[in-house]
Amino acid sequence: MTITQGEQPPSGPAAGPSRGRRSLLAGPRSDRRRDNRSSAMLVSGLLALALGFTALSLPVPYVVESPGPTFNTLGTENGTPVISVTGHETFPAKGNLDLTTVYVDGGPNGPVTVVEAFSAWLSGAKAVYPEELIFPTGVTKEQSQQESAVAMTSSQENAVASALRELGIPFEQKMQIAAVPEGSASAGKVLENDVLVSINGKAATALGVIQSELAAGNGAPVEVVVDRDGSSVTANITPSKTAAGRFILGVMLQYKFKFPFDVKISLDKVGGPSAGMMFALGIVDTVTPGDLTGGKHVAGTGTITPDGAIGPIGGISQKMHGARSGGATLFLAPAANCEDVVGHIPDGLQVVRVENLAEARKAVELAASGADTSALPVCSSN
């Protein structure tokens, strides 16, 4: 009976294998569902990753400023002296009077990605700004480069004028009308290329003279005399008032100079007006005996006017870092940039605040003498 029951199971075991086959078939169907879910999750993850990378590579409306290279105004660039003078005796100079530069990415110079902007924001040597703060809306790369080149040319001419004035070397300086916008206070009264002779009887050879006379008149009509192709023309102009409360003639002016000798500045691929002060110091050192720097490594930045006033520039934090990386130990900064200087000075760099070329020259000469420079004016948070 035991055996029978033991042998009985032919029908039972048959059912057993049948149930077993169903069980075996059920197992692979569950694995395939898991595989499908895993594949879907993998594809979704890859898509999310791809979208993430795509988002990170998308351009953002920001501009990144980074430290650029420095150029020694007393040295050479591509085998050519940065400053060359003909018609006047020159003197070899040692040391460095470095002009500083900034790389600008974004805007018309090409897109900046989220990653690049965030990385720059984390860097102490870079700065990130909204695009509209740096570039006018719609400006093209070509327009930006042209404007930068014009500013560089103007800064070089102003540098020569300020250097010669600092050295007491006479030269001819005039103010020429570059453009007369339609509808301005001067439209129909003066013309493009007219040379200003006087305003209310005062020689109009500098922008400061014109601004002072307009301010003193408080909006009253002024008598302007211009030279037009050799003929004297007099015009009575009622200045207009800007939103800032200043009175203007409503013309675009440019300086025209006639120097007693030629100064050529050779520096490719660098634009803008901020090298004016360092060009002026380089010219002073080139045409005077001795060594202005005493072999020291000096760098700086700042616009300059023909009368030697030093004006503010952009990217000064990046320029200080670039100067220090280039080996400078003394940096000349425009007084108007002091707010951006404080808290951003790299280790090993002494920053001196200057307002005009005479102060900048004095600072360099003091450093060259080996004397204590700690008494020189500095930027403060007060």
Side-chain angles (χ1 to χ4, degrees), residues 290-309:
D291 193 0
L292 185 63
T293 68
K296 298 292 194 303
H297 198 139
V298 181
T301 186
T303 64
I304 201 161
T305 63
D307 60 1

Side-chain angles (χ1 to χ4, degrees), residues 78-105:
N78 297 323
T80 301
V82 174
I83 296 175
S84 56
V85 175
T86 55
H88 190 282
E89 187 177 7
T90 59
F91 305 87
K94 299 177 182 178
N96 285 63
L97 287 170
D98 290 354
L99 65 88
T100 50
T101 65
V102 171
Y103 285 127
V104 180
D105 297 306

Side-chain angles (χ1 to χ4, degrees), residues 31-314:
D31 288 345
R32 281 200 297 271
R33 284 196 295 271
R34 286 196 296 271
D35 289 345
N36 289 339
R37 285 196 298 271
S38 297
S39 297
M41 291 174 65
L42 178 62
V43 170
S44 297
L46 290 173
L47 285 173
L49 190 62
L51 288 173
F53 278 120
T54 300
L56 291 176
S57 64
L58 289 175
V60 290
Y62 290 94
V63 169
V64 173
E65 292 185 348
S66 311
T70 61
F71 299 90
N72 183 11
T73 60
L74 303 177
T76 61
E77 182 66 17
N78 297 323
T80 301
V82 174
I83 296 175
S84 56
V85 175
T86 55
H88 190 282
E89 187 177 7
T90 59
F91 305 87
K94 299 177 182 178
N96 285 63
L97 287 170
D98 290 354
L99 65 88
T100 50
T101 65
V102 171
Y103 285 127
V104 180
D105 297 306
N109 296 322
V112 168
T113 66
V114 174
V115 172
E116 290 170 334
F118 186 69
S119 175
W121 181 71
L122 294 176
S123 170
K126 298 182 180 181
V128 182
Y129 301 100
E131 186 177 315
E132 63 269 17
L133 290 183
I134 308 298
F135 296 103
T137 303
V139 68
T140 66
K141 183 176 182 179
E142 291 72 21
Q143 289 171 333
S144 177
Q145 289 177 337
Q146 183 179 16
E147 181 180 344
S148 184
V150 170
M152 170 62 95
T153 300
S154 178
S155 74
Q156 293 173 1
E157 293 177 341
N158 288 354
V160 177
S162 61
L164 297 192
R165 182 168 277 111
E166 172 68 16
L167 297 172
I169 300 174
F171 60 94
E172 184 178 298
Q173 175 179 308
K174 296 180 180 180
M175 296 292 297
Q176 186 178 51
I177 297 176
V180 185
E182 186 177 348
S184 75
S186 296
K189 297 183 178 181
V190 295
L191 304 177
E192 183 178 339
N193 295 324
D194 282 354
V195 175
L196 283 175
V197 176
S198 65
I199 177 169
N200 286 344
K202 296 183 179 179
T205 57
L207 185 59
V209 174
I210 299 168
Q211 292 173 333
S212 296
E213 197 62 26
L214 292 175
N218 197 31
V222 293
E223 183 182 84
V224 173
V225 178
V226 299
D227 183 316
R228 183 176 300 161
D229 297 326
S231 299
S232 181
V233 177
T234 301
N236 288 299
I237 302 172
T238 301
S240 56
K241 192 174 185 179
T242 68
R246 292 193 306 113
F247 293 100
I248 59 174
L249 291 177
V251 297
M252 295 179 63
L253 298 170
Q254 62 183 359
Y255 284 103
K256 300 296 287 185
F257 304 105
K258 187 175 182 180
F259 300 122
F261 53 85
D262 293 328
V263 179
K264 181 179 180 181
I265 296 176
S266 303
L267 198 60
D268 294 332
K269 299 180 180 179
V270 177
S274 65
M277 175 181 65
M278 299 312 293
F279 282 144
L281 287 171
I283 295 166
V284 168
D285 202 357
T286 299
V287 301
T288 55
D291 193 0
L292 185 63
T293 68
K296 298 292 194 303
H297 198 139
V298 181
T301 186
T303 64
I304 201 161
T305 63
D307 60 1
I310 294 170
I313 50 79

